[in-house]
Amino acid sequence: MENYIVSARKYRPITFESVVGQQALTQTLRNAIRTNHLAHAYLFCGPRGVGKTTCARIFAKTINCLSPTEENDACNQCESCTAFNEQRSFNIHELDAASNNSVEDIRSLIDQVRIPPQIGKYSVYIIDEVHMLSGNAFNALLKTLEEPPKHAIFILATTEKHKILATILSRCQVYDFNRITVADTISHLQYVAQKENINASEEALNVVAQKADGGMRDALSILDLCASSSKNIDEKTVENVCAMAGDEYLLELCDCIKAQDTQNALLMIDKLHNSSVDMLRLLNELIAHYRDLMIIKTVKGQKRPIVCSATRLMSLEKQAEKFDIKEIVYTLNVLQSATALMKTGDRRCEMEMTIVKLCNPELSVDLASLERRISALENGAVIAKAAVPVVKEEKAPVIEDTEAIKADDDIPPMPDD
């Protein structure tokens, strides 16, 4: 029986051309290889699942290829490429900083850096999740990272660039990886589904792409999970597998909030909770839904920053007509405030309290009441100012020094010449 390989590994890119959603970055790396302008240290940073470690491996494989192609890609046939593909290359070294973050681990790496490569020109050291290194480990790496041997190249990968020391950043060429767009994700998922004989609708892949939030690895994992449930994947399949509320419930819940129907809104929350829908995930879905309503109310034309199916867009436009923009913004403020509380408290209770607040605006201070209070305070201040009588200041009488005047009168006039 053939061993099963998950799609994230089976369809992992092996060339720069096959990397999804990072065209500008991969082109820059290919140009650096073509012109032989290779730095001694690189920092690849960005969200998870966007291709940081994959690009590091492709880069390391390409610069050690003995006969690269005209497009500056690895040939996959020479001894160096074959050793890399069979995972027995001694030129490329990977270190997981999440589990090897001590000073001793870095010192062992530094000792290894001195050894020149057996095949090819460079020894490449890929340190994944480099932000997990301890402070002392970073300090131990500094000198070697600044002045490594000519044959050594470091590639650091991290999802949290802000945790990297400034002294490390100044020694590296920094490459920021972007989130993969929904369109690029859907295109790649369609390719994988075709290869795996999976019948997936575009609406279903759209939901998968949005759920992955710009990460291709997450998108492929969700597709595998859905394929295990059924080879015919529709939007409902994805919602059930991922325990999502879905558009139907979101639209109905928004209608209940608009109608201030607290009872039916809470019954919907109870039904979703019993269906294993996580309340924090529901809150995030509701925030995304109201965000789309806000965009529809404020941005006109075809260039709206909304990615969804035509059917959902029609439903959103129809529902947006019922709302005022102030209501949408107020609702988003309440939902955003509940996000932090839900992470520390009882999620179901917090979600129910949030829905009760939205269905009963009088329970919380809304923007309109704040404006009225501020206006009343300003009017009161103006009236109070007008009621204060204006007292004119009386000038003090000028008291002349009569003695001085008299003395001036006694002075005889000067004689004429």
Side-chain angles (χ1 to χ4, degrees):
M1 183 177 180
E2 186 178 355
N3 291 332
Y4 173 73
I5 303 176
V6 297
S7 298
R9 290 181 56 198
K10 187 175 181 180
Y11 295 97
R12 191 167 195 165
I14 58 175
T15 63
F16 285 125
E17 191 68 30
S18 57
V19 176
V20 180
Q22 310 293 344
Q23 285 78 12
L25 190 146
T26 54
Q27 186 60 44
T28 303
L29 291 175
R30 293 171 80 172
N31 290 339
I33 296 172
R34 178 177 56 83
T35 57
N36 198 28
H37 288 173
L38 302 180
H40 64 275
Y42 296 86
L43 176 65
F44 291 174
C45 50
R48 68 179 189 274
V50 295
K52 300 184 297 297
T53 306
T54 296
C55 283
R57 291 175 178 174
I58 296 173
F59 182 76
K61 175 183 175 181
T62 305
I63 62 176
N64 276 315
C65 180
L66 301 178
S67 55
T69 64
E70 295 180 357
E71 292 79 16
N72 298 302
D73 285 324
C75 66
N76 284 316
Q77 296 178 354
C78 66
E79 186 178 357
S80 177
C81 291
T82 303
F84 176 84
N85 294 336
E86 296 176 357
Q87 298 181 357
R88 56 179 178 84
S89 175
F90 291 101
N91 290 9
I92 301 169
H93 314 271
E94 292 192 35
L95 177 70
D96 179 21
S99 55
N100 302 277
N101 54 8
S102 65
V103 178
E104 289 74 16
D105 295 320
I106 297 302
R107 285 175 179 170
S108 176
L109 178 66
I110 293 172
D111 292 337
Q112 191 177 6
V113 167
R114 299 190 182 100
I115 303 173
Q118 296 179 349
I119 303 173
K121 297 180 180 179
Y122 303 100
S123 290
V124 183
Y125 297 87
I126 302 172
I127 305 179
D128 208 0
E129 301 298 336
V130 70
H131 65 274
M132 299 291 287
L133 289 178
S134 64
N136 291 332
F138 268 127
N139 293 331
L141 183 62
L142 279 176
K143 187 62 178 176
T144 303
L145 196 65
E146 184 176 17
E147 297 178 356
K150 292 183 178 180
H151 61 265
I153 292 179
F154 288 90
I155 303 178
L156 315 180
T158 179
T159 55
E160 301 186 39
K161 178 183 174 182
H162 60 280
K163 291 185 178 180
I164 307 298
L165 298 179
T167 50
I168 296 290
L169 291 175
S170 64
R171 288 164 168 81
C172 301
Q173 281 192 5
V174 181
Y175 286 78
D176 291 300
F177 284 67
N178 301 318
R179 293 184 184 274
I180 302 174
T181 63
V182 173
D184 288 339
T185 304
I186 292 175
S187 177
H188 189 65
L189 290 177
Q190 288 174 336
Y191 167 76
V192 174
Q194 183 180 5
K195 289 288 185 179
E196 297 295 320
N197 296 321
I198 299 173
N199 184 20
S201 66
E202 187 172 351
E203 291 78 9
L205 296 181
N206 194 338
V207 176
V208 172
Q210 294 189 43
K211 181 71 173 59
D213 193 25
M216 184 58 71
R217 183 171 60 241
D218 290 353
L220 291 172
S221 298
I222 296 172
L223 182 65
D224 285 347
L225 192 61
C226 295
S228 300
S229 174
S230 173
K231 286 293 183 180
N232 296 313
I233 303 174
D234 58 7
E235 191 173 356
K236 199 67 178 177
T237 304
V238 180
E239 293 172 358
N240 292 336
V241 168
C242 298
M244 299 171 63
D247 292 338
E248 182 180 349
Y249 282 105
L250 292 175
L251 290 167
E252 188 176 349
L253 187 58
C254 287
D255 286 338
C256 290
I257 293 173
K258 175 62 179 176
Q260 299 185 2
D261 189 352
T262 309
Q263 179 176 337
N264 285 327
L266 291 179
L267 290 176
M268 286 185 62
I269 298 298
D270 181 66
K271 184 177 180 180
L272 292 171
H273 182 267
N274 293 333
S275 300
S276 301
V277 175
D278 182 67
M279 292 294 103
L280 181 57
R281 182 176 296 171
L282 173 61
L283 182 65
N284 290 330
E285 288 185 61
L286 204 57
I287 290 173
H289 186 83
Y290 272 97
R291 179 260 178 192
D292 290 344
L293 293 177
M294 179 181 66
I295 296 299
I296 289 175
K297 294 292 289 186
T298 54
V299 181
K300 305 300 181 182
Q302 300 296 326
K303 294 185 178 181
R304 291 170 176 162
I306 298 178
V307 181
C308 62
S309 61
T311 304
R312 183 172 186 272
L313 183 59
M314 291 178 60
S315 301
L316 287 170
E317 290 176 341
K318 185 177 179 180
Q319 189 173 63
E321 296 176 357
K322 306 175 185 177
F323 286 87
D324 183 77
I325 187 63
K326 291 184 178 180
E327 293 176 314
I328 297 175
V329 173
Y330 165 71
T331 304
L332 280 172
N333 281 326
V334 174
L335 294 174
Q336 292 281 14
S337 301
T339 304
L341 296 174
M342 191 172 287
K343 292 179 180 178
T344 57
D346 187 301
R347 294 186 176 184
R348 179 179 182 178
C349 182
E350 185 60 38
M351 188 68 200
E352 290 171 341
M353 288 174 57
T354 303
I355 293 299
V356 170
K357 287 179 183 178
L358 293 176
C359 292
N360 301 273
E362 66 276 3
L363 296 179
S364 59
V365 180
D366 57 0
L367 296 178
S369 63
L370 278 176
E371 291 176 357
R372 288 194 296 270
R373 291 184 183 185
I374 292 173
S375 178
L377 288 172
E378 290 177 346
N379 292 336
V382 172
I383 294 173
K385 185 177 180 180
V388 176
V390 179
V391 179
K392 293 184 178 180
E393 296 182 359
E394 295 183 359
K395 293 183 179 180
V398 179
I399 302 175
E400 296 182 351
D401 192 347
T402 55
E403 295 295 332
I405 295 174
K406 186 176 180 181
D408 291 340
D409 292 341
D410 295 339
I411 297 174
M414 298 293 290
D416 294 334
D417 293 338

